[in-house]
Amino acid sequence: MAQNNLAALSFELGELADARAGWLAALPEAEAIGALPLSALILTNLGELALAEHKLDEARSRLENALEIIDAIADRGLESVCCRHLAALDKLNGNTPAARELAERALAVAQKAGLREHEAQAYMTLGDVLSVSLHDEELTETGALAPAAVAFGAAVEVLANLGNEAALAKALFVFGRYKAEMGEHADAKDMLRDALMMFSRLGLERRSSEVERLLASMN
């Protein structure tokens, strides 16, 4: 568990080689003692890492192996996480219907279990999948909100109620970037400035730099 946590910290800091080494060291130890929940967690983490490295075949193998274990142990939180990563994988592979189905499964599982943090993250994944089609003429004519915007907005609302500032800042960044891509620059700038204020307050310099670059590109 300690190796897993250290690897997770390395991943968050962008030190992918260290994260991979840590998780690869932890996995056989967890398997050797029959720690199924921990094995599933590490496999899920390795799947997310492979996604970040664009090693898509490895990502699918890790995540599907994890989901097999998760289904057996009925860990609803981890099921939601694993389904989110599989949704992101299917989106990268151009299979939007499968990606949407997995994102909706992640959301339904989290909501049924009352896991609000996971619910918010599932909304973010669903928004990302739905944003594949940025412009919809019918929505433009009726003035209705795009489904992606609805999902992102729901995530922001949940995270604001939970008081998780780091997660809220990330959600605002993603939502703001989406708004910028939609050409809604005023809304985008408001969200991005809020995200920047939170990242700066939390001392997350790498995240702050990302937001600053995006804001600069809109001027």
Side-chain angles (χ1 to χ4, degrees), residues 90-153:
D90 277 331
K91 183 199 169 192
L92 281 174
N93 283 327
N95 191 347
T96 305
R100 180 170 184 168
E101 185 177 333
L102 282 159
E104 288 174 343
R105 174 180 169 181
L107 178 60
V109 165
Q111 288 177 327
K112 187 175 180 180
L115 302 170
R116 298 285 280 163
E117 184 86 34
H118 290 292
E119 178 187 350
Q121 297 307 325
Y123 271 126
M124 292 302 297
T125 301
L126 182 58
D128 185 52
V129 170
L130 294 171
S131 69
V132 169
S133 178
L134 279 175
H135 301 286
D136 188 312
E137 290 182 9
E138 184 179 337
L139 290 172
T140 302
E141 289 171 4
T142 62
L145 281 174
V150 173
F152 287 138

Side-chain angles (χ1 to χ4, degrees), residues 6 33 39 46 56 58-59 62 68 83-84 132 134 155 163 185 188 192 198 207 209:
L6 284 170
I33 60 172
S39 296
L46 281 166
L56 303 189
E58 180 193 347
R62 299 285 191 192
E68 243 181 83
C83 286
R84 287 197 297 104
V132 169
L134 279 175
H185 287 178
L192 292 170
M198 293 179 198
R207 297 285 187 181
S209 297

Side-chain angles (χ1 to χ4, degrees), residues 35-186:
L36 292 181
L38 182 55
S39 296
L41 174 60
I42 295 168
L43 283 166
T44 301
N45 289 338
L46 281 166
E48 183 183 9
L49 171 62
L51 261 178
E53 296 175 328
H54 293 278
K55 297 175 180 176
L56 303 189
D57 289 342
E58 180 193 347
R60 184 168 298 281
S61 175
R62 299 285 191 192
L63 292 168
E64 288 180 348
N65 287 344
L67 196 55
E68 243 181 83
I69 300 171
I70 291 164
D71 285 341
I73 62 176
D75 184 327
R76 299 309 174 207
L78 197 51
E79 179 184 353
S80 184
V81 172
C82 193
C83 286
R84 287 197 297 104
H85 296 327
L86 281 166
L89 175 59
D90 277 331
K91 183 199 169 192
L92 281 174
N93 283 327
N95 191 347
T96 305
R100 180 170 184 168
E101 185 177 333
L102 282 159
E104 288 174 343
R105 174 180 169 181
L107 178 60
V109 165
Q111 288 177 327
K112 187 175 180 180
L115 302 170
R116 298 285 280 163
E117 184 86 34
H118 290 292
E119 178 187 350
Q121 297 307 325
Y123 271 126
M124 292 302 297
T125 301
L126 182 58
D128 185 52
V129 170
L130 294 171
S131 69
V132 169
S133 178
L134 279 175
H135 301 286
D136 188 312
E137 290 182 9
E138 184 179 337
L139 290 172
T140 302
E141 289 171 4
T142 62
L145 281 174
V150 173
F152 287 138
V156 167
E157 183 179 352
V158 171
L159 291 168
N161 288 333
L162 288 175
N164 185 334
E165 195 170 43
L168 176 58
K170 291 177 188 177
L172 285 168
F173 170 64
V174 173
F175 197 4
R177 183 176 59 194
Y178 167 79
K179 286 284 191 178
E181 290 168 350
M182 289 286 287
E184 299 175 20
H185 287 178

